[in-house]
Amino acid sequence: MNALNKVFTLWGISVLMACGAPSASQEGEGDLQHIDQGVTAEGDRNTNSQKPTAKYLRLKRYDIVDRQGTGLVAVSCLIPEHWQVRDQVFWDYQDATQPLRYQGLFQDPGGALAVQIYPDVRSVYSQGPMGTSGYPPPRDVQSALRDFIGQQRGQTGFRVVDSKVVAQSGPRDNYISGTYFQTTTQSGFMRIAYNDHQGPVEEEFYAQLELTNSLSQGVVALGGVIWSFHGIYSCKAPQGKLENSRQIAMTLKSSSKLNLPFYNRYMQLVQFLSDESYRRIFAAGEVSRIFSQTSAQISQSITDSY
């Protein structure tokens, strides 16, 4: 399930498809306080003789659908009742190892509060006697965030307010079939400020950078870096109200649930792509042709990994 975890990430490396989503009800009252009240929710339990002091945030179920491939619901989550969503599950035909991508914009009707999820960025950078190929990796997660934000918000004239590495692991060493691998990971966030049509805005971006350096020693030395900038999402709000947007992001994360029939089809597709002939079909953009050969029957191994 790791590949899917990296597709639907909301909280650094934490999974948008975290288990425990309320799946029985289509709509209900969430357990969060109304984000504009900022007080306890006890008031709603008072008798009629007492004036309520707070409101609940009403939530509804939202289904993230893979319209391009399986036609199935990929993930279900809870969002505020009146929020609007523009999103897409799509397939990267150049990536046969982790081919699924997702992008989504969740926002209130006025666009003041927003949570945005961005597609993963994955690449391979190779070095050898014939030169280099591919895209070189970012130096660290903070430089990756700065470059990414520049691409996404460069027109706003933003300024960086805060930036931190919040977690780091590695290096982890591995040796496979004559090739040495060393992997490091960093998670970080960057907060920016700028003005839009509604006035002063704050926005926080979160992401994880994973770098795997490789070295093969044969007749000549071949080196490279397999790198992934993933789990990219942002929370946006008017200045001073960023916590409101963070609460919605946490609601998305904690309520989301991966759909087992979709996961079953996805894992079968990944297994098919270990075959060169299927990789050629996939690279041609004919993902539906491969899915037609997958089975709706869910094996025990798929259930166990789910």
Side-chain angles (χ1 to χ4, degrees):
M1 197 161 99
N2 290 338
L4 287 174
N5 289 351
K6 292 180 180 180
V7 173
F8 294 102
T9 306
L10 256 187
W11 207 256
I13 189 58
S14 64
V15 185
L16 174 61
M17 302 169 292
C19 296
S23 56
S25 62
Q26 293 294 311
E27 189 176 75
E29 293 194 349
D31 57 358
L32 292 177
Q33 302 164 23
H34 191 291
I35 57 178
D36 290 328
Q37 297 293 326
V39 294
T40 66
E42 295 295 327
D44 277 2
R45 302 191 187 96
N46 293 342
T47 64
N48 292 334
S49 62
Q50 292 180 290
K51 182 179 179 181
T53 59
K55 297 178 181 179
Y56 288 102
L57 176 64
R58 192 167 183 82
L59 304 173
K60 66 179 180 181
R61 172 171 166 164
Y62 180 75
D63 291 333
I64 296 172
V65 180
D66 170 30
R67 294 182 174 86
Q68 190 182 93
T70 63
L72 298 172
V73 173
V75 175
S76 295
C77 61
L78 296 178
I79 65 173
E81 183 179 28
H82 299 296
W83 272 43
Q84 302 162 348
V85 182
R86 297 201 310 271
D87 68 345
Q88 180 187 18
V89 176
F90 62 100
W91 299 85
D92 184 344
Y93 299 116
Q94 304 304 312
D95 188 348
T97 56
Q98 293 183 17
L100 196 60
R101 299 289 187 270
Y102 177 72
Q103 58 187 7
L105 175 62
F106 301 75
Q107 60 183 357
D108 67 12
L113 296 180
V115 176
Q116 189 164 358
I117 306 170
Y118 306 87
D120 293 352
V121 180
R122 288 167 43 84
S123 187
V124 176
Y125 180 64
S126 301
Q127 298 171 299
M130 303 300 292
T132 62
S133 64
Y135 297 95
R139 182 179 66 256
D140 51 38
V141 70
Q142 288 173 303
S143 62
L145 279 166
R146 186 180 293 273
D147 290 345
F148 183 80
I149 294 171
Q151 295 171 9
Q152 299 293 323
R153 301 289 185 267
Q155 74 282 1
T156 65
F158 70 87
R159 59 186 177 86
V160 176
V161 177
D162 195 9
S163 179
K164 290 181 181 177
V165 175
V166 296
Q168 186 167 311
S169 66
R172 302 182 300 275
D173 298 329
N174 203 357
Y175 193 79
I176 303 174
S177 301
T179 301
Y180 170 72
F181 297 93
Q182 185 178 77
T183 301
T184 59
T185 57
Q186 282 187 329
S187 298
F189 83 93
M190 186 169 288
R191 185 184 309 134
I192 64 173
Y194 57 92
N195 290 317
D196 67 6
H197 65 283
Q198 295 179 327
V201 167
E202 291 180 298
E203 191 167 12
E204 279 183 348
F205 286 76
Y206 302 80
Q208 183 176 76
L209 177 67
E210 182 175 276
L211 304 176
T212 298
N213 290 275
S214 65
L215 179 63
S216 299
Q217 188 66 55
V219 178
V220 295
L222 300 175
V225 184
I226 305 166
W227 62 274
S228 172
F229 184 55
H230 56 260
I232 317 164
Y233 82 100
S234 64
C235 298
K236 172 191 169 187
Q239 188 174 31
K241 294 187 176 181
L242 194 56
E243 182 59 28
N244 293 352
S245 185
R246 293 192 193 107
Q247 287 188 39
I248 302 303
M250 288 297 292
T251 301
L252 283 166
K253 170 189 176 292
S254 61
S255 69
S256 299
K257 186 173 183 179
L258 175 64
N259 181 26
L260 178 56
F262 170 79
Y263 176 68
N264 171 51
R265 297 281 191 171
Y266 175 84
M267 293 304 294
Q268 289 182 64
L269 173 78
V270 172
Q271 291 169 5
F272 274 122
L273 292 180
S274 63
D275 185 293
E276 177 62 32
S277 60
Y278 283 104
R279 287 199 296 271
R280 288 196 295 269
I281 295 172
F282 184 73
E286 299 180 36
V287 64
S288 60
R289 182 176 162 189
I290 303 177
F291 274 124
S292 68
Q293 300 183 49
T294 61
S295 170
Q297 185 174 353
I298 301 172
S299 68
Q300 187 60 49
S301 62
I302 293 290
T303 302
D304 291 343
S305 65
Y306 174 80

